[in-house]
Protein backbone atom coordinates (compact mmCIF):
# COMPACT_ATOMS: atom_id res chain seq x y z
CA UNK A 1 0.00 0.00 0.00
CA UNK A 2 1.91 3.01 -1.27
CA UNK A 3 0.57 6.26 0.04
CA UNK A 4 0.09 9.22 -2.26
CA UNK A 5 1.58 12.32 -0.65
CA UNK A 6 -0.50 15.40 -1.20
CA UNK A 7 1.40 18.59 -0.50
CA UNK A 8 -0.60 21.77 -0.75
CA UNK A 9 -0.90 23.11 2.75
CA UNK A 10 1.82 25.10 4.47
CA UNK A 11 0.41 24.59 7.96
CA UNK A 12 -0.96 21.67 9.98
CA UNK A 13 -4.07 19.91 8.69
CA UNK A 14 -7.25 20.23 10.76
CA UNK A 15 -9.95 18.31 8.89
CA UNK A 16 -10.59 16.00 5.94
CA UNK A 17 -13.89 15.24 4.24
CA UNK A 18 -14.85 13.17 1.19
CA UNK A 19 -17.89 14.04 -0.86
CA UNK A 20 -20.67 11.47 -1.07
CA UNK A 21 -19.50 10.07 -4.41
CA UNK A 22 -16.01 9.60 -3.02
CA UNK A 23 -14.29 11.24 -5.98
CA UNK A 24 -13.32 14.48 -4.23
CA UNK A 25 -11.44 15.04 -0.99
CA UNK A 26 -11.67 18.37 0.84
CA UNK A 27 -8.94 19.37 3.27
CA UNK A 28 -8.82 22.16 5.85
CA UNK A 29 -5.67 23.47 7.47
CA UNK A 30 -4.38 26.34 9.54
CA UNK A 31 -3.20 28.13 6.39
CA UNK A 32 -6.53 29.85 5.48
CA UNK A 33 -7.07 27.92 2.23
CA UNK A 34 -9.41 24.92 2.15
CA UNK A 35 -8.36 22.71 -0.75
CA UNK A 36 -10.11 20.15 -2.94
CA UNK A 37 -8.26 17.15 -4.44
CA UNK A 38 -9.11 14.29 -6.76
CA UNK A 39 -9.53 11.35 -4.44
CA UNK A 40 -8.15 8.70 -6.76
CA UNK A 41 -4.75 10.13 -7.67
CA UNK A 42 -4.33 12.96 -5.18
CA UNK A 43 -4.13 15.69 -7.80
CA UNK A 44 -5.04 19.15 -6.55
CA UNK A 45 -8.15 20.59 -8.13
CA UNK A 46 -8.23 23.98 -6.50
CA UNK A 47 -8.42 26.08 -3.36
CA UNK A 48 -11.14 28.21 -1.80
CA UNK A 49 -9.68 31.62 -1.09
CA UNK A 50 -11.29 34.13 1.21
CA UNK A 51 -10.75 33.06 4.81
CA UNK A 52 -8.47 35.10 6.98
CA UNK A 53 -7.62 32.57 9.68
CA UNK A 54 -7.15 28.89 10.34
CA UNK A 55 -9.96 26.76 8.90
CA UNK A 56 -11.15 24.21 11.43
CA UNK A 57 -13.82 22.21 9.70
CA UNK A 58 -15.78 21.74 6.50
CA UNK A 59 -18.70 19.83 5.07
CA UNK A 60 -19.87 19.27 1.52
CA UNK A 61 -23.47 18.96 0.37
CA UNK A 62 -24.90 15.69 -0.89
CA UNK A 63 -24.81 16.85 -4.52
CA UNK A 64 -21.23 18.17 -4.19
CA UNK A 65 -22.35 21.66 -5.19
CA UNK A 66 -21.83 23.52 -1.92
CA UNK A 67 -19.00 23.57 0.59
CA UNK A 68 -19.29 25.09 4.06
CA UNK A 69 -16.19 25.96 6.08
CA UNK A 70 -15.73 27.21 9.64
CA UNK A 71 -12.76 29.37 10.47
CA UNK A 72 -10.91 31.16 13.26
CA UNK A 73 -11.57 34.44 11.42
CA UNK A 74 -15.01 34.34 13.07
CA UNK A 75 -16.88 33.36 9.91
CA UNK A 76 -18.39 30.29 8.34
CA UNK A 77 -18.47 30.53 4.56
CA UNK A 78 -20.51 28.86 1.84
CA UNK A 79 -18.69 28.13 -1.42
CA UNK A 80 -19.52 26.94 -4.88
CA UNK A 81 -17.49 23.72 -5.07
CA UNK A 82 -17.04 23.89 -8.82
CA UNK A 83 -15.96 27.50 -9.31
CA UNK A 84 -14.44 28.24 -5.89
CA UNK A 85 -16.64 31.32 -5.64
CA UNK A 86 -17.66 32.45 -2.17
CA UNK A 87 -21.47 32.46 -1.97
CA UNK A 88 -22.10 33.68 1.55
CA UNK A 89 -20.35 34.44 4.82
CA UNK A 90 -21.96 33.86 8.22
CA UNK A 91 -20.36 36.28 10.66
CA UNK A 92 -19.96 35.53 14.36
CA UNK A 93 -18.44 37.21 17.38
CA UNK A 94 -16.04 34.33 18.00
CA UNK A 95 -14.20 31.68 15.95
CA UNK A 96 -16.39 29.12 14.11
CA UNK A 97 -15.26 25.62 15.01
CA UNK A 98 -17.50 22.85 13.64
CA UNK A 99 -19.84 22.81 10.65
CA UNK A 100 -22.24 20.11 9.47
CA UNK A 101 -24.96 20.02 6.79
CA UNK A 102 -28.23 18.36 7.73
CA UNK A 103 -29.71 15.50 5.73
CA UNK A 104 -31.18 17.29 2.70
CA UNK A 105 -28.73 20.21 3.03
CA UNK A 106 -31.47 22.67 4.01
CA UNK A 107 -29.90 23.38 7.39
CA UNK A 108 -26.40 23.65 8.76
CA UNK A 109 -25.17 23.50 12.33
CA UNK A 110 -22.21 25.75 13.21
CA UNK A 111 -20.50 25.90 16.59
CA UNK A 112 -18.62 28.92 17.87
CA UNK A 113 -15.84 29.01 20.44
CA UNK A 114 -15.88 30.75 23.80
CA UNK A 115 -14.27 34.15 23.31
CA UNK A 116 -13.69 36.95 25.82
CA UNK A 117 -16.90 36.80 27.90
CA UNK A 118 -18.93 34.87 25.32
CA UNK A 119 -19.74 31.20 26.03
CA UNK A 120 -19.52 28.63 23.27
CA UNK A 121 -22.70 28.26 21.22
CA UNK A 122 -24.36 26.04 18.64
CA UNK A 123 -26.07 27.87 15.78
CA UNK A 124 -28.54 26.35 13.32
CA UNK A 125 -28.73 28.19 10.00
CA UNK A 126 -31.14 27.74 7.14
CA UNK A 127 -29.34 27.13 3.85
CA UNK A 128 -31.16 28.63 0.87
CA UNK A 129 -31.21 26.71 -2.39
CA UNK A 130 -30.50 29.94 -4.26
CA UNK A 131 -27.39 31.66 -2.83
CA UNK A 132 -28.84 35.10 -3.61
CA UNK A 133 -31.61 34.46 -1.08
CA UNK A 134 -29.25 33.31 1.66
CA UNK A 135 -29.54 35.15 4.99
CA UNK A 136 -27.42 35.09 8.12
CA UNK A 137 -30.20 34.58 10.69
CA UNK A 138 -30.04 31.64 13.05
CA UNK A 139 -33.05 29.36 13.27
CA UNK A 140 -31.85 28.31 16.71
CA UNK A 141 -28.98 29.23 19.03
CA UNK A 142 -27.98 26.93 21.89
CA UNK A 143 -25.80 28.56 24.50
CA UNK A 144 -23.26 25.86 25.04
CA UNK A 145 -21.82 24.34 28.17
CA UNK A 146 -18.42 25.24 29.58
CA UNK A 147 -15.45 25.12 27.24
CA UNK A 148 -15.12 24.70 23.52
CA UNK A 149 -17.46 22.51 21.49
CA UNK A 150 -15.16 20.66 19.12
CA UNK A 151 -17.81 18.82 17.10
CA UNK A 152 -21.52 19.05 16.44
CA UNK A 153 -23.35 16.77 14.03
CA UNK A 154 -26.97 16.08 13.10
CA UNK A 155 -28.72 13.06 14.59
CA UNK A 156 -31.22 10.79 12.81
CA UNK A 157 -33.78 12.62 10.61
CA UNK A 158 -32.29 15.96 11.73
CA UNK A 159 -34.37 15.71 14.90
CA UNK A 160 -31.34 16.04 17.17
CA UNK A 161 -27.90 17.61 17.31
CA UNK A 162 -25.03 15.72 18.93
CA UNK A 163 -22.25 17.84 20.41
CA UNK A 164 -18.99 17.08 22.17
CA UNK A 165 -15.96 19.05 23.27
CA UNK A 166 -13.64 20.21 26.00
CA UNK A 167 -15.78 19.23 28.98
CA UNK A 168 -15.70 15.58 27.77
CA UNK A 169 -19.49 15.27 27.87
CA UNK A 170 -21.48 14.22 24.82
CA UNK A 171 -24.83 16.01 24.62
CA UNK A 172 -27.87 15.35 22.48
CA UNK A 173 -30.10 18.38 21.85
CA UNK A 174 -33.55 18.65 20.32
CA UNK A 175 -32.98 20.56 17.07
CA UNK A 176 -36.48 22.10 17.08
CA UNK A 177 -36.73 23.37 20.65
CA UNK A 178 -33.08 23.46 21.69
CA UNK A 179 -33.84 21.35 24.75
CA UNK A 180 -31.07 19.16 26.17
CA UNK A 181 -32.26 15.56 25.80
CA UNK A 182 -29.33 13.41 26.91
CA UNK A 183 -25.84 13.62 28.35
CA UNK A 184 -23.18 10.93 28.50
CA UNK A 185 -22.58 10.04 32.13
CA UNK A 186 -19.28 10.44 33.93
CA UNK A 187 -18.70 6.70 34.45
CA UNK A 188 -18.92 5.52 30.85
CA UNK A 189 -17.91 8.80 29.24
CA UNK A 190 -14.55 10.25 28.31
CA UNK A 191 -12.28 11.65 30.99
CA UNK A 192 -10.64 14.40 28.93
CA UNK A 193 -11.38 16.69 25.99
CA UNK A 194 -13.22 15.03 23.10
CA UNK A 195 -11.31 15.97 19.96
CA UNK A 196 -13.34 14.31 17.24
CA UNK A 197 -16.70 12.76 16.53
CA UNK A 198 -17.64 10.81 13.41
CA UNK A 199 -20.93 9.18 12.49
CA UNK A 200 -21.21 5.74 10.88
CA UNK A 201 -22.20 5.71 7.23
CA UNK A 202 -25.79 4.73 8.10
CA UNK A 203 -25.97 7.30 10.91
CA UNK A 204 -27.05 4.78 13.55
CA UNK A 205 -23.98 5.11 15.77
CA UNK A 206 -20.97 7.38 16.13
CA UNK A 207 -17.45 7.26 17.46
CA UNK A 208 -15.63 9.83 19.59
CA UNK A 209 -11.89 10.26 20.12
CA UNK A 210 -10.42 11.91 23.16
CA UNK A 211 -7.19 13.09 24.78
CA UNK A 212 -7.81 10.44 27.46
CA UNK A 213 -6.15 8.02 24.97
CA UNK A 214 -9.33 6.21 24.00
CA UNK A 215 -12.08 6.16 21.40
CA UNK A 216 -15.65 5.19 22.20
CA UNK A 217 -18.52 3.94 20.09
CA UNK A 218 -22.03 5.17 20.97
CA UNK A 219 -25.59 4.54 19.90
CA UNK A 220 -26.81 7.83 18.43
CA UNK A 221 -30.40 7.51 19.66
CA UNK A 222 -29.95 6.22 23.20
CA UNK A 223 -26.37 7.42 23.82
CA UNK A 224 -25.47 3.94 25.08
CA UNK A 225 -21.76 3.14 25.16
CA UNK A 226 -21.19 0.18 22.82
CA UNK A 227 -17.40 -0.22 22.56
CA UNK A 228 -14.18 1.31 23.86
CA UNK A 229 -10.85 1.30 22.02
CA UNK A 230 -7.81 1.98 24.17
CA UNK A 231 -4.52 3.24 22.77
CA UNK A 232 -1.31 4.62 24.23
CA UNK A 233 -1.44 8.18 23.00
CA UNK A 234 -4.01 10.97 22.81
CA UNK A 235 -6.53 10.50 19.99
CA UNK A 236 -6.98 13.50 17.69
CA UNK A 237 -9.01 11.88 14.94
CA UNK A 238 -11.28 8.87 14.52
CA UNK A 239 -13.12 7.34 11.61
CA UNK A 240 -14.94 4.13 10.75
CA UNK A 241 -14.82 2.00 7.63
CA UNK A 242 -18.14 2.01 5.76
CA UNK A 243 -17.29 -1.43 4.36
CA UNK A 244 -15.63 -3.54 7.05
CA UNK A 245 -15.83 -3.57 10.83
CA UNK A 246 -12.75 -1.40 11.21
CA UNK A 247 -12.15 1.68 13.31
CA UNK A 248 -9.17 3.96 12.67
CA UNK A 249 -7.59 6.10 15.36
CA UNK A 250 -5.08 8.83 14.68
CA UNK A 251 -3.19 10.90 17.17
CA UNK A 252 0.10 11.53 18.83
CA UNK A 253 1.31 13.92 21.43
CA UNK A 254 0.24 17.49 21.46
CA UNK A 255 2.14 19.48 18.85
CA UNK A 256 4.03 21.36 21.55
CA UNK A 257 5.34 18.14 23.14
CA UNK A 258 6.46 16.37 19.98
CA UNK A 259 10.06 17.49 19.91
CA UNK A 260 10.68 16.33 23.45
CA UNK A 261 9.19 12.87 23.29
CA UNK A 262 10.08 10.77 20.28
CA UNK A 263 13.20 10.71 18.15
CA UNK A 264 12.05 8.27 15.46
CA UNK A 265 10.75 10.02 12.37
CA UNK A 266 7.51 8.99 10.70
CA UNK A 267 6.43 7.36 13.94
CA UNK A 268 2.93 8.76 14.01
CA UNK A 269 0.59 6.08 12.82
CA UNK A 270 -3.07 5.58 12.08
CA UNK A 271 -4.10 2.55 14.10
CA UNK A 272 -6.71 0.11 12.85
CA UNK A 273 -8.93 -1.64 15.38
CA UNK A 274 -11.50 -4.38 14.97
CA UNK A 275 -14.78 -2.61 15.65
CA UNK A 276 -16.40 -5.60 17.36
CA UNK A 277 -13.48 -7.24 19.18
CA UNK A 278 -11.85 -3.92 20.12
CA UNK A 279 -8.43 -5.34 19.27
CA UNK A 280 -5.71 -3.64 17.27
CA UNK A 281 -5.32 -5.05 13.75
CA UNK A 282 -2.45 -2.97 12.44
CA UNK A 283 -1.20 0.51 11.74
CA UNK A 284 -0.17 2.80 8.93
CA UNK A 285 2.92 4.87 9.68
CA UNK A 286 4.29 7.81 7.80
CA UNK A 287 3.41 11.19 9.26
CA UNK A 288 6.11 13.34 10.82
CA UNK A 289 3.73 14.84 13.34
CA UNK A 290 0.52 13.91 15.11
CA UNK A 291 -2.40 12.92 12.90
CA UNK A 292 -5.09 15.60 13.17
CA UNK A 293 -7.58 14.36 10.59
CA UNK A 294 -8.77 11.05 9.18
CA UNK A 295 -11.41 10.23 6.60
CA UNK A 296 -12.59 7.06 4.90
CA UNK A 297 -13.66 7.05 1.29
CA UNK A 298 -17.41 6.21 1.17
CA UNK A 299 -16.57 3.06 -0.83
CA UNK A 300 -14.30 1.83 1.98
CA UNK A 301 -11.43 1.09 -0.39
CA UNK A 302 -9.16 3.98 0.56
CA UNK A 303 -8.59 6.39 3.39
CA UNK A 304 -6.66 9.58 3.95
CA UNK A 305 -4.90 11.13 6.91
CA UNK A 306 -3.80 14.69 7.54
CA UNK A 307 -1.01 15.57 9.93
CA UNK A 308 0.60 18.33 11.90
CA UNK A 309 3.33 18.07 9.22
CA UNK A 310 1.08 19.72 6.60
CA UNK A 311 0.78 16.63 4.40
CA UNK A 312 -2.29 14.70 3.40
CA UNK A 313 -1.50 11.03 2.82
CA UNK A 314 -3.91 9.11 0.65
CA UNK A 315 -3.88 5.33 1.02
CA UNK A 316 -5.54 2.92 -1.41
CA UNK A 317 -5.83 -0.47 0.26
CA UNK A 318 -4.19 -3.59 -1.17
CA UNK A 319 -6.47 -6.55 -1.94
CA UNK A 320 -5.24 -8.45 1.13
CA UNK A 321 -6.60 -5.73 3.43
CA UNK A 322 -10.10 -6.98 2.65
CA UNK A 323 -9.26 -10.48 3.88
CA UNK A 324 -7.82 -9.65 7.29
CA UNK A 325 -8.87 -12.32 9.76
CA UNK A 326 -8.29 -12.00 13.46
Amino acid sequence: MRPILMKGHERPLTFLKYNRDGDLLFSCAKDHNPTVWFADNGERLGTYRGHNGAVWCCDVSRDSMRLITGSADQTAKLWNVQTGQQLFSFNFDSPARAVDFSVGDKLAVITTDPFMELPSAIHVKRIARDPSEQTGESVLVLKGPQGRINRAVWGPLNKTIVSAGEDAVIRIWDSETGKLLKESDKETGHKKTITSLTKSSDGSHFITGSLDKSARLWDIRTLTLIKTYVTERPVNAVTMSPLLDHVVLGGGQDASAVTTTDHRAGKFEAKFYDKILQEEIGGVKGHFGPINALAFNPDGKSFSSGGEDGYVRLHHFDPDYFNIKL
Side-chain angles (χ1 to χ4, degrees):
M1 187 167 76
R2 290 213 40 204
I4 299 170
L5 261 94
M6 294 144 64
K7 182 70 178 148
H9 290 291
E10 319 170 338
R11 298 285 318 280
L13 270 285
T14 53
F15 197 74
L16 290 168
K17 178 89 185 178
Y18 284 92
N19 66 342
R20 178 167 141 263
D21 303 331
D23 60 340
L24 299 177
L25 175 63
F26 296 87
S27 61
C28 302
K30 293 184 182 175
D31 63 3
H32 313 357
N33 296 323
T35 302
V36 58
W37 317 75
F38 282 115
D40 58 344
N41 59 3
E43 199 180 319
R44 179 156 68 165
L45 232 148
T47 56
Y48 299 90
R49 296 186 176 257
H51 274 301
N52 204 5
V55 182
W56 294 121
C57 193
C58 70
D59 195 16
V60 58
S61 63
R62 194 179 160 92
D63 58 6
S64 301
M65 298 286 279
R66 301 269 178 277
L67 178 73
I68 186 168
T69 53
S71 165
D73 64 8
Q74 308 194 346
T75 68
K77 293 187 191 293
L78 280 171
W79 310 83
N80 180 323
V81 168
Q82 232 169 340
T83 63
Q85 176 198 359
Q86 184 182 319
L87 302 174
F88 194 80
S89 184
F90 298 102
N91 297 313
F92 300 100
D93 300 324
S94 64
R97 174 73 46 175
V99 291
D100 193 45
F101 280 123
S102 63
V103 179
D105 301 322
K106 289 195 169 67
L107 298 166
V109 62
I110 304 167
T111 72
T112 53
D113 285 356
F115 190 67
M116 314 292 264
E117 269 76 64
L118 286 167
S120 55
I122 302 172
H123 306 256
V124 178
K125 303 282 188 189
R126 196 162 268 120
I127 304 294
R129 179 162 294 165
D130 181 355
S132 60
E133 295 167 6
Q134 182 66 49
T135 61
E137 279 103 73
S138 298
V139 188
L140 180 69
V141 179
L142 306 174
K143 280 284 177 282
Q146 292 310 302
R148 205 163 71 204
I149 301 167
N150 284 329
R151 285 281 172 270
V153 298
W154 292 90
L157 305 174
N158 301 338
K159 286 197 188 329
T160 54
I161 293 167
V162 184
S163 72
E166 273 188 343
D167 61 2
V169 180
I170 300 164
R171 293 182 173 83
I172 298 186
W173 311 81
D174 185 307
S175 60
E176 292 277 320
T177 62
K179 212 172 88 194
L180 179 60
L181 301 175
K182 288 191 177 68
E183 287 191 345
S184 60
D185 57 46
K186 292 276 186 286
E187 281 70 56
T188 56
H190 284 289
K191 306 291 179 269
K192 288 188 182 163
T193 298
I194 295 171
T195 52
S196 57
L197 187 160
T198 313
K199 287 193 291 188
S200 62
S201 49
D202 64 358
S204 67
H205 53 285
F206 66 93
I207 187 167
T208 52
S210 163
L211 299 182
D212 66 10
K213 305 187 170 78
S214 75
R216 289 163 205 250
L217 196 68
W218 309 83
D219 183 291
I220 202 161
R221 288 188 170 83
T222 61
L223 202 55
T224 320
L225 179 66
I226 307 171
K227 300 279 179 190
T228 304
Y229 311 93
V230 183
T231 167
E232 48 286 352
R233 47 180 67 111
V235 179
N236 298 342
V238 284
T239 186
M240 288 182 274
S241 167
L243 192 62
L244 303 173
D245 287 325
H246 290 172
V247 167
V248 188
L249 274 51
Q253 304 88 337
D254 194 34
S256 56
V258 167
T259 48
T260 57
T261 45
D262 208 322
H263 56 278
R264 285 191 298 250
K267 171 77 168 52
F268 298 94
E269 57 179 339
K271 291 198 154 143
F272 281 69
Y273 283 76
D274 187 288
K275 191 176 191 173
I276 316 294
L277 302 173
Q278 310 178 32
E279 288 173 22
E280 196 178 322
I281 307 168
V284 178
K285 289 190 171 67
H287 280 285
F288 287 85
I291 295 173
N292 293 340
L294 285 168
F296 246 100
N297 193 310
D299 68 6
K301 293 178 183 166
S302 62
F303 87 106
S304 55
S305 56
E308 193 72 26
D309 54 7
Y311 283 96
V312 179
R313 297 172 75 92
L314 176 63
H315 310 262
H316 289 278
F317 293 118
D318 296 334
D320 56 1
Y321 162 80
F322 302 100
N323 306 321
I324 295 175
K325 295 274 179 287
L326 265 182

